Amino acid sequence: MTHENLPGQPHLAYRGNELYCEEIRVSDLAKDHGTPLFVYSKGAMLAALAAYQRGFAGRKVQICYAMKANPALGVIEVFAEAGCGFDIVSGGDLERVLAAGGQPGKIIFSGVGKTRAEMRRALEAGIGCFNVESEAELEVLSQVALSLGVCAPVSIRVNPNVDPKTHPYISTGLKDSKFGVAHERVLPTYQRAAKLAGIRVLGIDCHIGSQITQEDPYLDAVERMLDLVEAIEAVGIPLQHIDFGGGLGIDYSGETPPDAGVLWQKLLARLDARGFGQRDLMIEPGRSLVGNAGVCVSEVLYLKPGEHKNFCIIDAAMNDLPRPALYQAFHQIVPLNPRQDVPETWDVVGPICESGDWLGHDRSLAVQQGDLLAVLSSGAYCMSMASNYNSRGRAAEILVEGSQAHLIRRRETMADQMQSERLVGIKSK
Ligand code: LLP
């Protein structure tokens, strides 16, 4: 039996004419649970985490999974069991981590717009650190903490002004970005933080962008961060930890991002050279832990050949997988059961009433109505950005562990969708 791995997808392989995820035939999952269906490999998530752990071997590091990439309880549970902390960006994220058994002390709270209620709940839960993104937020956090009679552990997110060389929507560390405290305001912000009664300064953090496939932006950011640490400590404010954020890219279509372990060994050498190697370190990876651990399985509903374009209409759409519509992102699309026929060129599109509802343009596929396709690299920022547009229920999610398949989210029903709504009852008035 042939055993052919797909590039960048170590957990996926064709055995004969069948696509497997770990030890499970993906088409069996589609038969049992319907489509569209997200299928995640636990082994692939743990392997991605292991690369980071190799890079940080012998160092004091807290790896905080940036759960915005995929906030399914069953996914959070995998990383909680593996000892990870979590990077959250809302009160909702916090409740998910607590519900999945994550340790509050290992939670860091990022985001430019934390509300007072979110701050209060996070302080009550005893989270590890607030990554504060503005001077105004700092003042409010101090007030909220004092009203509870506690001190908020804080790191200031600084904007190091480096270009991550990625899509503009997911660049976050440039001067004009809404994120972080501008370079020139960092020192005064720390000095203010040190004076506020409700604030305890713990560390410093940055995050320069996402889907970064080169190492230079990281090297630049590390040097700039260390310059700032030196300047802050020189005015008498000690920093316990340095958090370098997330952002490492994955292979969607032949990109060659650095291996997490190799990259971090290189970055740690820089830290060592400047005497910071033994500091407490933190990172916040999201996509690189889960992106290539997942696929979205979808059925071909109709083929619609045309004069200029051939359309392959599938049952997954931009509401399930918004990355192509939002960022013109490329996701590989492969058949679960390849055919020997001569391939044709198809635009793979969903059923939603928008021309932006496409999953792949000009794909070469040998495909028939009723076939099953897998949209690859769908573990990150797909389900987490899914919506109910066109009253479409969100897909089910399966976590594969060897030869076991766990249903970690059932398909959303129409009752789920309508349960929070009420009719006004105009007719009966
Ligand atoms: N830390 C912070 C403060 C972040 O804002 C992010 C991502 C991360 C960590 C994790 O970054 P990662 O390791 O996943 O690159 N929806 C977009 C990506 C948005 C990223 C937002 N921030 C996409 O589908 O490409």
Side-chain angles (χ1 to χ4, degrees):
M1 187 187 279
T2 57
H3 193 118
E4 189 196 329
N5 273 95
L6 290 161
Q9 321 278 326
H11 60 293
L12 283 181
Y14 285 109
R15 297 186 194 173
N17 200 38
E18 283 283 353
L19 185 68
Y20 275 71
C21 174
E22 298 196 18
E23 298 306 317
I24 293 197
R25 232 195 314 222
V26 181
S27 61
D28 286 346
L29 296 174
K31 265 177 230 133
D32 292 348
H33 301 280
T35 53
L37 179 70
F38 283 90
V39 178
Y40 308 126
S41 153
K42 179 176 174 179
M45 292 179 193
L46 294 178
L49 177 63
Y52 280 101
Q53 288 164 333
R54 278 196 299 278
F56 282 102
R59 310 284 179 148
K60 290 181 285 181
V61 65
Q62 185 177 309
I63 300 176
C64 292
Y65 166 52
M67 58 175 286
K68 60 172 81 68
N70 189 327
L73 294 177
V75 172
I76 296 173
E77 193 182 12
V78 169
F79 290 107
E81 270 175 14
C84 289
F86 295 90
D87 173 42
I88 65 166
V89 286
S90 71
D93 275 356
L94 173 60
E95 299 308 329
R96 283 183 171 275
V97 175
L98 298 178
Q103 289 177 36
K106 288 188 179 174
I107 295 175
I108 54 177
F109 194 167
S110 304
V112 295
K114 303 173 192 80
T115 66
R116 284 171 190 265
E118 287 174 323
M119 290 171 176
R120 207 170 296 123
R121 175 76 179 119
L123 285 166
E124 283 165 355
I127 69 159
C129 194
F130 289 83
N131 288 355
V132 169
E133 302 226 15
S134 66
E135 295 169 71
E137 180 192 338
L138 195 59
E139 301 291 331
V140 171
L141 181 58
S142 177
Q143 288 165 17
V144 174
L146 288 176
S147 75
L148 294 174
V150 297
C151 234
V154 157
S155 155
I156 308 287
R157 176 171 176 183
V158 303
N159 186 338
N161 194 21
V162 298
D163 184 355
K165 304 184 180 107
T166 182
H167 192 285
Y169 283 13
I170 50 178
S171 295
T172 48
L174 277 167
K175 229 180 165 140
D176 293 339
S177 133
K178 71 174 175 180
F179 299 100
V181 171
H183 205 266
E184 61 280 8
R185 292 298 307 164
V186 169
L187 210 49
T189 307
Y190 270 99
Q191 286 170 317
R192 177 70 184 144
K195 286 201 190 91
L196 284 170
I199 299 291
R200 181 161 51 95
V201 174
L202 267 196
I204 185 165
D205 71 284
C206 75
H207 171 77
I208 55 174
S210 200
Q211 185 54 15
I212 301 170
T213 53
Q214 301 172 25
E215 60 180 38
D216 320 6
Y218 277 107
L219 291 167
D220 285 357
V222 163
E223 297 295 354
R224 286 179 193 218
M225 286 287 279
L226 297 183
D227 292 345
L228 283 169
V229 175
E230 282 168 355
I232 295 159
E233 296 197 328
V235 298
I237 303 171
L239 298 176
Q240 226 176 75
H241 74 247
I242 313 175
D243 173 351
F244 292 102
L248 184 58
I250 61 169
D251 176 6
Y252 285 101
S253 59
E255 297 93 333
T256 51
D259 167 81
V262 175
L263 173 69
W264 275 101
Q265 278 171 7
K266 244 188 206 174
L267 296 176
L268 288 166
R270 295 282 178 112
L271 262 72
D272 288 341
R274 293 185 59 173
F276 290 100
Q278 289 314 310
R279 283 292 163 110
D280 290 350
L281 303 173
M282 275 191 201
I283 51 165
E284 308 164 0
R287 186 192 320 264
S288 52
L289 292 179
V290 293
N292 268 337
V295 300
C296 178
V297 183
S298 181
E299 184 184 326
V300 176
L301 297 175
Y302 303 106
L303 294 179
K304 192 169 164 183
E307 204 179 321
H308 299 294
K309 281 263 176 212
N310 296 324
F311 292 103
C312 170
I313 303 167
I314 66 174
D315 65 0
M318 67 188 279
N319 75 300
D320 303 298
L321 222 148
R323 300 193 71 258
L326 267 177
Y327 318 113
Q328 294 79 48
F330 181 95
H331 287 253
Q332 276 194 65
I333 302 175
V334 301
L336 297 198
N337 307 104
R339 294 177 176 279
Q340 298 311 314
D341 315 350
V342 179
E344 287 173 277
T345 302
W346 299 96
D347 268 15
V348 181
V349 301
I352 284 183
C353 303
E354 292 218 24
S355 299
D357 180 27
W358 57 276
L359 286 306
H361 285 314
D362 298 324
R363 300 304 173 88
S364 173
L365 287 166
V367 73
Q368 296 288 328
Q369 187 169 340
D371 282 3
L372 293 166
L373 300 177
V375 183
L376 305 189
S377 314
S378 300
Y381 303 114
C382 291
M383 230 354 224
S384 60
M385 297 198 296
S387 77
N388 290 126
Y389 191 33
N390 280 200
S391 300
R392 290 167 54 88
R394 270 168 297 184
E397 293 179 296
I398 304 281
L399 182 73
V400 172
E401 190 178 13
S403 55
Q404 271 182 297
H406 309 283
L407 178 67
I408 57 169
R409 185 199 300 256
R410 66 162 169 77
R411 189 171 301 286
E412 197 174 20
T413 63
M414 267 326 292
D416 293 332
Q417 276 195 63
M418 294 193 288
Q419 70 179 355
S420 53
E421 299 181 43
R422 294 287 173 274
L423 290 168
V424 180
I426 291 169
K427 273 193 194 139
S428 60
K429 276 187 188 158

